[in-house]
Amino acid sequence: KIQAHLQGKLGDYFLTGIMGYLDLETGLLKGISAGHPPAIVFQENGIQILDRGGVMIADDIYGDFARFEYKMEKGDTILLYT
């Protein structure tokens, strides 16, 4: 729906985006990305990269966004950046 709403309004520009939902009771993080740099979780033993980008939003680019799920554990920290 986002791509359809923006169709014809971006010209030579494009958008990237990422959004997620964290269930605080279960720790399950669900998200989706449109060409955005990947979300990263810092864990006790290392890092986990949660997505690989998907397609960006542009007038002439169509495709699927990247979906991800991750079970957050106590002490995990998520990093979203641009």
Side-chain angles (χ1 to χ4, degrees):
K1 290 184 178 182
I2 292 172
Q3 268 185 312
H5 179 72
L6 293 172
Q7 187 65 35
K9 298 175 184 167
L10 297 175
D12 293 334
Y13 298 97
F14 64 90
L15 301 172
T16 68
I18 190 169
M19 66 180 210
Y21 170 80
L22 175 61
D23 185 321
L24 296 176
E25 291 191 19
T26 66
L28 184 62
L29 173 67
K30 293 183 177 185
I32 190 166
S33 177
H36 197 275
I40 298 173
V41 174
F42 292 91
Q43 307 163 311
E44 186 176 312
N45 305 4
I47 65 168
Q48 179 76 31
I49 298 174
L50 299 185
D51 69 72
R52 299 289 179 192
V55 297
M56 65 184 116
I57 300 169
D59 280 345
D60 59 350
I61 297 175
Y62 294 93
D64 293 328
F65 302 128
R67 298 176 186 274
F68 58 90
E69 288 189 11
Y70 179 76
K71 175 77 166 75
M72 299 287 288
E73 301 293 340
K74 185 174 182 175
D76 286 352
T77 302
I78 187 167
L79 172 67
L80 302 174
Y81 60 95
T82 56

